[in-house]
């Protein structure tokens, strides 16, 4: 979609200069606004036409049954689906007696612009009605970062040729009718009328609605208030009903005499608080917003983002589309978690109902590394949610006959919601992913209060799970059998390398945490004998290796499986899960997404450079990337090994996943982990940043397509800028005391008094790896798309495959 002529490469904005109705579902996701608590899809102000209406609150869900053809012990009984709550975005317009609808009359101009610096969505339209009146519409929408419960709209309509009577209807609407999106399992279960009315009230130029979800019994409050500025004679009135509140404004307007209104919105929800408490909460938030005023809300938004970009910006020279894409990715990653405040950070954020609004391991493995180094408070809060739901994880572990905590594969509120046990129950690596995020945040923040109150309990309970899940074999090796790793084309395998190595780090970190905090550890009943057993399991962790091939099997025996017949697989047969039975995928050498290669990245300290090169080449040839989570990891490892052009191609694929709608499911919401993966591909890939041990390590190398990469990170209260060219890297402390780091394996100290510039050694020369036929990233090999430019081009055969995916869907595309 970004290749559409209506879109332009802009370093600080996403701009659409003409309205494409066929692209509405995608643009509603791309232009969505959120602060991690409230999410507003970018539906047109007038509400119609739409692709998919959507207003979401983090953690607010409806329960639904999970049906099974055959029951089994330990199967989750209930699922959870994100709720489309009361819609406060709607502002309808009548010009004369004609409703403003872009499908009728003549839309002479239309532009939308997502301002990444200001945190605002601007819209400008010039419309000639069927009866000939011409009006100009200007709107600006925001979801406040500074005021968690507040959103607002600035709305202006002005005739351009003659005086016209206009009517503006500003609404709160509950239980919107949603379109039927078919049987795509990626799309949220569409619940019909999930909200029961409890209260409707009117006051001043505003109104309030309170509802409860029918099954989960969550109470949701939504309120609106207006400031009206119009010509003399402007009138307004308010009406309310159970599922609708409306403020109607009438005025006679003309050229130079526009009608303006500011709509303040406030939202709140709770699973336990009373109706008066929710009512008072949203009314107080609304009063605060009105007291602050529109101009101050806009200033607050800009100040918040100025602060964010000062410590998080990534600058690229050499590819304008990529510069735009990385800032878009960072902005939406921030939106997903900024004000989540111990609620689940969903795979789609709050941009759409895809995956039922569930959080997965994506959060800890892809999103939290970005937030840890750019918005650490948001990372801390996301881990605080895991800690808050640990009681449920303990109950789940007990149900499964295990010690410690078994965190869910997919959830909103903390209960396991996966109805497919090989992918859900058996994917225990989520526990180690959480522990890995804890270790990373603690090292990067040096937050001792978090380490004792949140980090240590998470590390201890996840370590207990691994010690009870695994066992020592006759040769003294610690084995973890019958688990599912990140690759969803393999399941219930023995000794998945990624799982075992991440569990090893988990066990070591838990033991170190107990030693560092003995008093708090005593409260968790973590004694010396238990800690010694963790260390022994970590020291004797079994990591399979195929000596004949000289590579690590993804799991024990994997390299002995029959290889998938890629030559006989047509482009339309991807994604494979829609065209092949799982049993066949599970018994063949074919990889959906980076698994062993992800281990090379996150546990790179466990492999030699030669092992990494051989492993990467082996798995490149069998990885089909039917998952949006893969390209960024492949970019990171390609860069480290020395395949810089290939790394650049994978970087572009990650960066354009949603802007180019590569999976053809951006309509359901953005791929937040893939967006975060854009930062990972740049910072960990081209910037070579690693955090395997305490402290920072960098091994930067740039591909030929880029002439400079500059990024900033937050580390222990410092802001460090890293400026990479082909020949040198300059480290500059923008804030804080001196910091020690490693540059291409050599220790260095960056002092705040002066930047430090060091030479970049050349990348090793290696033969380029091959990919399955038709599954190479765009622009690979260089020149294959005509000019060697990977950005903005689909992989060979990907469009046909994506169309097939859009028709039938994929569980985790």
């Amino acid at each position: 979609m970004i290749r559409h002529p209506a879109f332009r490469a802009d370093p600080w904005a996403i701009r659409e200069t003409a309205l494409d109705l066929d692209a509405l579902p995608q643009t509603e996701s791309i232009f969505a606004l959120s602060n991690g608590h409230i999410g507003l899809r970018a539906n047109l102000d007038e509400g119609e036409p739409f692709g998919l209406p959507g207003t979401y609150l983090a953690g607010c869900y409806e329960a639904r049954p999970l049906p099974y053809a055959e029951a089994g012990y330990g199967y989750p009984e209930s699922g959870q689906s994100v709720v489309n709550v009361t819609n406060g975005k709607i502002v309808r317009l009548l010009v004369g007696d004609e409703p403003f609808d872009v499908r009728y009359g003549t839309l002479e101009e239309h532009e939308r612009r997502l301002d990444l610096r200001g945190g605002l969505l601007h819209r400008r339209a010039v419309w000639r009605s069927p009866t000939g009146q011409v009006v100009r519409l200007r709107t600006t929408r925001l979801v406040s970062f500074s005021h968690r419960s507040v959103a607002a709209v600035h709305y202006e309509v002005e005739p351009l040729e003659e005086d016209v009577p206009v009517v503006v209807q500003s609404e709160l609407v509950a239980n919107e009718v949603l379109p039927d999106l078919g049987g795509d399992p990626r799309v949220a279960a569409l619940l019909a009328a999930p909200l029961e009315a409890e209260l409707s009230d009117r006051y001043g130029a505003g109104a309030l609605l309170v509802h409860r979800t029918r099954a989960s019994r969550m109470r949701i409050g939504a309120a609106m208030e207006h400031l009206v500025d119009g010509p003399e004679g402007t009138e307004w009135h308010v009406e309310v009903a159970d599922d609708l509140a409306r403020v109607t404004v009438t005025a006679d307007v003309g050229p130079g005499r526009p009608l303006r209104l500011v709509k303040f919105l406030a939202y709140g929800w709770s699973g336990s608080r009373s109706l008066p408490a929710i009512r008072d909460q949203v009314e107080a938030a609304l009063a605060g917003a009105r007291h602050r005023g529109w101009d101050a809300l806009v200033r607050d938004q800009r100040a918040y983002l100025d602060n964010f970009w000062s410590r998080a910006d990534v600058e690229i020279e050499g590819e304008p589309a990529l510069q735009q894409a990385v800032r878009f990715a960072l902005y939406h990653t921030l939106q997903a978690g900024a004000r989540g405040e111990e609620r689940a950070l969903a795979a789609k954020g709050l941009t759409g109902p895809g995956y039922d609004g569930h959080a997965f391991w994506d959060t800890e493995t892809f999103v939290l590394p970005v937030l840890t180094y750019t918005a650490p408070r948001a990372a801390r809060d996301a881990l605080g949610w895991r800690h808050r739901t640990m009681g449920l994880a303990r109950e789940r572990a007990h149900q499964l006959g295990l010690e410690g905590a078994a965190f869910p594969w997919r959830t909103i509120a903390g209960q396991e919601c996966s109805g497919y046990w090989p992918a859900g129950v058996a994917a225990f690596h989520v526990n180690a992913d959480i522990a890995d995020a804890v270790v990373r945040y603690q090292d990067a923040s040096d937050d001792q209060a978090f380490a004792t109150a949140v980090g240590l309990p998470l590390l201890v309970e996840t370590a207990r799970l691994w010690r009870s899940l695994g066992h020592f074999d006759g040769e003294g090796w610690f084995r973890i059998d019958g688990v599912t790793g990140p690759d969803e084309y393999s399941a219930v395998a023995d000794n998945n390398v990624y799982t075992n190595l991440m569990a090893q780090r988990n066990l070591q970190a838990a033991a170190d945490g107990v030693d560092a905090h003995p008093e708090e550890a005593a409260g968790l009943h973590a004694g010396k004998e238990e800690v010694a057993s963790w260390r022994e399991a970590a020291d004797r962790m079994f990591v399979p290796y195929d000596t004949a091939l000289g590579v690590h099997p993804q799991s024990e025996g994997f390299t002995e499986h029959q290889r998938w017949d890629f030559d006989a697989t047509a482009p339309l047969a991807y994604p494979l899960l829609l065209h092949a039975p799982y049993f066949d995928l599970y018994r063949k050498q074919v990889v959906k997404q980076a698994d062993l290669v992800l281990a090379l990245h996150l546990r790179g300290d466990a492999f030699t450079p030669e092992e990494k090169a051989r492993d990467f080449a082996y798995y490149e040839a069998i990885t089909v990337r039917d998952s949006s989570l893969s390209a960024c990891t492949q970019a990171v490892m390609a860069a480290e090994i020395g395949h810089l052009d290939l790394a650049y191609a994978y970087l572009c694929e990650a960066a354009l996943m949603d802007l180019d709608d590569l999976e053809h499911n951006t309509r359901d919401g953005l791929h937040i982990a893939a967006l975060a993966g854009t930062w990972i591909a740049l910072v960990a890939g081209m910037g070579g940043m690693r955090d395997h041990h305490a402290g920072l390590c960098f091994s930067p190398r740039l591909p030929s397509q880029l002439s400079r990469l500059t990024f900033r990170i937050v580390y222990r209260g410092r802001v460090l800028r890293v400026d990479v060219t082909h020949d040198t890297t300059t480290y500059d402390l923008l804030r804080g005391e001196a910091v020690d780091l490693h540059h291409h394996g050599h220790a260095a100290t960056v002092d705040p008094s002066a930047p430090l510039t060091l030479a970049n050694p050349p990348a090793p020369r290696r033969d380029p790896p091959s990919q399955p036929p038709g599954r190479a990233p765009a622009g690979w090999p260089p020149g294959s798309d005509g000019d060697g430019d990977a950005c903005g081009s689909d992989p060979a055969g990907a469009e046909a495959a994506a169309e097939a995916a859009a028709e039938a869907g994929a569980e985790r595309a």
Side-chain angles (χ1 to χ4, degrees), residues 74-76 391-401 406-407 416 425:
Y75 285 11
L392 294 171
R394 287 196 194 100
E395 292 176 10
R396 182 62 170 161
H398 179 74
Q399 183 185 31
L400 299 174
F407 283 94
E416 179 61 74
V425 173

Side-chain angles (χ1 to χ4, degrees), residues 68 103 235 247 258-259 348 420 465 481 551 662 709 731 739 807:
Y68 300 97
R103 295 168 294 188
E235 299 177 346
V247 174
L259 172 65
K348 294 286 190 178
Y420 182 60
L465 176 113
D481 296 330
V551 299
L662 296 183
L709 166 66
Y731 300 95
V739 62
E807 291 177 3

Side-chain angles (χ1 to χ4, degrees), residues 98-347:
E98 293 284 350
F100 172 52
D101 188 318
V102 296
R103 295 168 294 188
Y104 306 102
T106 303
L107 191 62
E108 297 182 351
E109 298 178 23
H110 194 275
E111 178 177 295
R112 287 186 290 177
R113 180 170 59 90
L114 178 60
D115 177 1
L116 305 177
R117 271 183 161 158
L120 305 171
L121 177 61
H122 300 281
R123 182 188 183 199
R124 179 181 181 277
V126 175
W127 180 68
R128 184 178 297 273
S129 76
T131 55
Q133 287 100 347
V134 182
V135 295
R136 179 173 58 212
L137 181 70
R138 292 192 180 101
T139 73
T140 302
R141 185 184 296 176
L142 70 82
V143 175
S144 176
F145 286 113
S146 301
H147 308 272
R148 187 183 75 150
S149 300
V150 171
V153 179
H154 188 283
Y155 191 95
E156 176 185 289
V157 57
E158 178 183 4
L160 297 183
E161 295 180 352
E162 58 184 336
D163 290 0
V164 179
V166 302
V167 178
V168 173
Q169 297 172 311
S170 179
E171 299 180 345
L172 294 175
V173 181
N175 289 318
E176 292 178 289
V177 177
L178 301 178
D180 181 3
L181 297 182
D184 189 337
R186 293 167 300 182
V187 183
L190 300 179
L191 306 177
L195 304 178
E196 295 178 345
E198 283 198 317
L199 173 69
S200 57
D201 198 4
R202 54 181 291 178
Y203 45 80
L208 175 144
L209 300 178
V210 179
H211 289 77
R212 291 191 83 176
T213 54
R214 298 182 186 277
S216 61
R217 307 309 292 163
M218 292 187 172
R219 182 170 282 115
I220 302 157
M224 64 178 177
E225 180 66 288
H226 298 80
L227 299 178
V228 179
D229 177 16
E232 184 178 354
T234 299
E235 299 177 346
W236 55 264
H237 71 276
V238 183
E239 53 190 313
V240 297
D242 284 349
D243 288 348
L244 174 68
R246 179 186 294 131
V247 174
T248 301
V249 181
T250 58
D252 294 320
V253 296
R257 294 185 295 111
L259 172 65
R260 300 185 182 94
L261 64 86
V262 176
K263 180 178 189 176
F264 299 106
L265 291 165
Y267 287 93
W269 74 268
S270 174
S272 58
R273 299 175 67 215
S274 68
L275 188 152
I278 291 295
R279 178 199 62 206
D280 292 351
Q281 175 190 344
V282 295
E283 287 183 342
L286 198 62
R290 177 160 182 168
H291 174 75
R292 191 71 182 137
W294 170 261
D295 290 341
L297 288 176
V298 171
R299 289 195 301 271
D300 293 346
Q301 195 83 335
R302 179 59 186 253
Y304 185 100
L305 285 166
D306 282 347
N307 185 29
F308 172 72
W309 291 117
S310 72
R311 64 179 187 267
D313 191 22
V314 175
E315 300 170 82
I316 296 169
E317 292 181 9
E319 177 49 74
L322 192 57
Q323 176 66 83
Q324 179 186 48
V326 67
R327 286 190 175 128
F328 170 79
L330 270 169
Y331 180 76
H332 271 290
T333 303
L334 175 69
Q335 284 201 139
R339 301 300 303 271
E341 298 175 9
E342 298 193 3
R343 298 275 165 74
L345 199 164

Side-chain angles (χ1 to χ4, degrees), residues 425-484:
V425 173
F428 289 103
H429 68 84
V430 64
N431 293 272
D433 301 325
I434 293 167
D436 182 57
V438 167
V439 172
R440 178 178 295 105
Y441 172 76
Q442 289 180 175
D443 176 62
S445 68
D446 201 23
D447 184 343
Q448 293 302 310
F450 172 92
T452 55
V454 177
L456 184 63
L458 285 171
L459 291 173
V460 166
E461 294 297 344
T462 48
R464 284 171 170 158
L465 176 113
W466 295 118
R467 185 60 187 85
S468 66
L469 184 64
H471 70 282
F472 289 97
D473 65 15
E475 298 180 0
W477 292 107
F478 189 75
R479 301 173 55 89
I480 303 176
D481 296 330
V483 298
T484 297

Side-chain angles (χ1 to χ4, degrees), residues 640-676:
E640 178 177 340
I641 291 163
H643 305 303
L644 296 179
D645 285 338
L646 179 60
Y648 179 77
Y650 280 130
L651 162 64
C652 287
E653 183 172 311
L656 299 177
M657 184 63 62
D658 287 312
L659 288 174
D660 266 8
D661 197 16
L662 296 183
E663 297 284 350
H664 285 214
N665 63 352
T666 301
R667 62 178 186 176
D668 309 326
L670 302 178
H671 298 80
I672 301 301
L675 292 171

Side-chain angles (χ1 to χ4, degrees), residues 387-638:
H387 179 260
R388 186 169 58 82
T389 62
M390 194 158 60
L392 294 171
R394 287 196 194 100
E395 292 176 10
R396 182 62 170 161
H398 179 74
Q399 183 185 31
L400 299 174
L402 299 169
E403 300 296 326
F407 283 94
W409 170 244
R410 59 185 303 165
T411 190
I412 295 177
Q415 299 89 347
E416 179 61 74
C417 293
S418 175
Y420 182 60
W421 70 267
V425 173
F428 289 103
H429 68 84
V430 64
N431 293 272
D433 301 325
I434 293 167
D436 182 57
V438 167
V439 172
R440 178 178 295 105
Y441 172 76
Q442 289 180 175
D443 176 62
S445 68
D446 201 23
D447 184 343
Q448 293 302 310
F450 172 92
T452 55
V454 177
L456 184 63
L458 285 171
L459 291 173
V460 166
E461 294 297 344
T462 48
R464 284 171 170 158
L465 176 113
W466 295 118
R467 185 60 187 85
S468 66
L469 184 64
H471 70 282
F472 289 97
D473 65 15
E475 298 180 0
W477 292 107
F478 189 75
R479 301 173 55 89
I480 303 176
D481 296 330
V483 298
T484 297
D487 171 32
E488 295 166 10
Y489 285 171
S490 299
V492 197
D494 294 342
N495 297 298
N496 172 261
V497 170
Y498 174 85
T499 300
N500 284 20
L501 287 176
M502 296 298 285
Q504 181 185 57
R505 172 178 286 173
N506 190 167
L507 290 160
Q508 292 167 335
D512 292 344
V514 169
D515 290 347
H517 307 288
E519 183 176 342
E520 290 80 8
L524 299 171
H525 309 290
K528 292 182 179 179
E529 184 176 341
E530 184 178 23
V531 171
S533 75
W534 297 344
R535 292 198 186 277
E536 183 182 13
D539 291 342
R540 298 296 295 170
M541 185 67 68
F542 179 62
V543 179
Y545 185 74
D546 187 326
T547 55
L549 293 174
V551 299
H552 290 85
Q554 182 169 281
S555 55
E556 194 172 7
F558 178 82
T559 50
E560 299 172 14
H561 292 176
Q562 181 182 358
R563 184 169 286 217
W564 188 268
D565 190 349
F566 296 104
D567 290 332
T569 305
L572 283 173
Y574 293 99
L576 293 178
L577 79 167
L578 300 182
H579 302 91
Y582 266 114
F583 86 88
D584 207 21
L585 295 170
Y586 289 166
R587 66 193 187 97
K588 300 284 180 64
Q589 287 192 64
V590 57
V591 177
K592 182 180 181 182
Q593 65 205 75
D595 185 310
L596 190 285
V597 174
L598 185 59
L600 300 180
H601 173 202
L602 297 182
R603 283 302 316 272
D605 55 325
F607 303 87
T608 68
E610 293 75 18
E611 287 173 340
K612 291 177 183 179
R614 291 195 302 269
D615 286 348
F616 182 78
Y618 187 88
Y619 287 94
E620 270 292 282
I622 59 174
T623 300
V624 296
R625 292 191 334 285
D626 286 346
S627 167
S628 63
L629 300 179
S630 195
C632 67
T633 299
Q634 290 171 273
V636 169
M637 291 313 303

